[in-house]
Amino acid sequence: MIEKDIIIIGAGPIGIACALECKKRHWDYAVIEKGALTNSLFNYPRNMTFFSTSEKLEIDDIPFISTNPKPNRDEALEYYRRVATSNKLHINLYETVNAIKKDGERFSISTRKNNYVSKKVIICTGFYDIPKLLNIPGEELPKVTHYYKEAHNYALQNVVVIGASNSAVDAALEIWRKGGHVTMVVRGENIGERVKYWVRPDIVNRIEEGSIKAYFNSEVIKIDGNTIDIQTPDRLITLDNDYVVALTGYLPNFEILKDSGITLSEDEKQIPSYNPETMESNIKGLYLAGVICGGNETHKWFIENSRIHAKIIANHIANNSN
């Protein structure tokens, strides 16, 4: 049994920010992460550029120096890695949390490697690990992926990109520029308004000129080995297809919240219960930080507007310590 003052679950940017706050206050803490350091960022596309500028991605006033107007994935990985290593933060990687249970005034946290006991727990697990499934025939085929890394393997292939978010637009443009034959399938009537402002005109122009085919107000209803069926407003069409890149969004890990006793809103948003002034959930001593606070509204919280959660939580813990 390992005893700590605070257990932080998730080693993304917000988890790192929470660890820095603990270190400054000389609290005995540990960060537990089921994957790599900043696992969500690590799994982003290799050529991804952030919407935010570097200063908005900084944590604890540690400068983030970028050679670009907006930093890319590799620069962000380097920044957060250096913050974690130079500050000698206590982070346990590749350790999955199985359960969080409150026992009296303390919490028991079990993982696949260890058992912990702590006075406080902070959950900041993000949302990138569970894709929103299409729930259609053929989705389980090897040619279907819910993640996009790079374009090279799609060159000279017939590729359907499902979605109209930033990730879907970036993937469609990159694959087309690397020689893939790209078709986009979009449930809405247009490319999403939240798409990066310097990218949106590019995809709109490529669609208008016919370089990338797009079916709006449409849905994929079936995927076969060599074809794909799309229901358009006019008719059902079948296209030759080699790969499907379904970038339809991701979900937070609601199970770990519910199993720990945190209540979720009963509507489709499933927003967890917490006090925005303290970030404490309905379970005393159990805090939420980062994008997990938005439930299914994963567009609500980002690094730049949730990094303050770490200080809010630390101040509340400090002001209410016995």
Side-chain angles (χ1 to χ4, degrees):
M1 186 73 67
I2 301 172
E3 295 193 12
K4 296 289 179 182
D5 293 331
I6 298 174
I7 290 293
I8 301 164
I9 302 173
I14 307 306
I16 292 173
C18 290
L20 288 169
E21 292 297 327
C22 290
K23 181 180 179 181
K24 285 190 290 185
R25 291 165 171 80
H26 305 290
W27 292 335
D28 188 12
Y29 72 93
V31 182
I32 303 173
E33 166 59 55
K34 69 182 182 59
L37 186 69
T38 61
N39 195 59
S40 292
L41 297 186
F42 174 70
N43 285 303
Y44 281 177
R46 287 194 172 93
N47 296 322
M48 193 209 77
T49 298
F50 282 85
F51 192 95
S52 302
T53 53
S54 59
E55 68 271 11
K56 292 182 178 180
L57 300 176
E58 293 174 354
I59 51 178
D60 201 38
D61 297 322
I62 300 171
F64 182 170
I65 307 302
S66 171
T67 59
N68 303 294
K70 296 178 184 297
N72 58 41
R73 166 189 174 271
D74 287 351
E75 289 177 313
L77 290 178
E78 177 67 17
Y79 171 72
Y80 295 116
R81 184 169 60 243
R82 290 299 300 272
V83 170
T85 56
S86 63
N87 285 280
K88 298 181 174 59
L89 300 181
H90 303 305
I91 300 175
N92 301 334
L93 300 176
Y94 304 104
E95 185 171 350
T96 302
V97 172
N98 296 324
I100 305 167
K101 301 295 181 184
K102 189 168 187 182
D103 183 13
E105 295 299 314
R106 302 200 302 174
F107 291 90
S108 298
I109 302 96
S110 62
T111 77
R112 66 183 184 88
K113 292 183 178 180
N114 296 297
N115 291 311
Y116 299 84
V117 173
S118 70
K119 300 174 183 176
K120 310 290 182 184
V121 174
I122 306 172
I123 300 177
C124 37
T125 48
F127 70 97
Y128 197 62
D129 298 314
I130 305 174
K132 291 181 180 178
L133 298 179
L134 301 169
N135 294 315
I136 60 174
E139 187 172 12
E140 75 286 351
L141 291 172
K143 73 174 189 177
V144 181
T145 181
H146 292 276
Y147 295 91
Y148 170 75
K149 201 69 174 179
E150 60 179 331
H152 176 77
N153 55 308
Y154 299 117
L156 307 176
Q157 301 295 289
N158 294 316
V159 183
V160 167
V161 176
I162 305 175
S165 62
N166 276 297
S167 56
V169 168
D170 285 345
L173 288 169
E174 283 192 14
I175 293 169
W176 171 69
R177 290 197 164 96
K178 299 302 182 186
H181 309 297
V182 179
T183 299
M184 296 187 73
V185 179
V186 181
R187 294 185 65 179
E189 62 184 16
N190 213 329
I191 296 298
E193 292 297 330
R194 296 192 187 97
V195 170
K196 291 171 280 195
Y197 65 84
W198 66 93
V199 174
R200 197 172 189 278
D202 190 3
I203 189 65
V204 170
N205 289 335
R206 301 294 76 74
I207 292 171
E208 288 181 352
E209 72 186 15
S211 298
I212 294 175
K213 177 65 177 177
Y215 292 97
F216 294 104
N217 297 309
S218 301
E219 294 185 58
V220 175
I221 62 171
K222 184 180 179 183
I223 303 170
D224 286 323
N226 299 307
T227 61
I228 187 168
D229 290 347
I230 303 170
Q231 182 63 60
T232 73
D234 300 322
R235 60 190 177 90
L236 176 68
I237 63 172
T238 300
L239 301 178
D240 291 337
N241 174 255
D242 299 304
Y243 289 100
V244 176
V245 182
L247 301 176
T248 51
Y250 305 92
L251 299 170
N253 185 349
F254 291 122
E255 294 307 314
I256 193 172
L257 300 182
K258 291 187 288 187
D259 288 348
S260 64
I262 295 175
T263 58
L264 307 178
S265 64
E266 296 182 359
D267 57 16
E268 69 279 358
K269 295 179 181 179
Q270 297 193 72
I271 296 174
S273 176
Y274 71 95
N275 182 344
E277 295 182 358
T278 66
M279 308 310 296
E280 190 173 35
S281 72
N282 58 286
I283 304 298
K284 186 178 179 180
L286 179 53
Y287 297 83
L288 302 177
V291 71
I292 193 72
C293 298
N296 277 325
E297 293 187 310
T298 53
H299 60 277
K300 185 175 181 179
W301 293 105
F302 304 95
I303 298 170
E304 63 184 69
N305 69 351
S306 63
R307 54 188 176 170
I308 188 62
H309 291 172
K311 291 185 184 297
I312 293 173
I313 293 169
N315 288 338
H316 185 255
I317 292 173
N319 293 334
N320 290 273
S321 58
N322 295 325

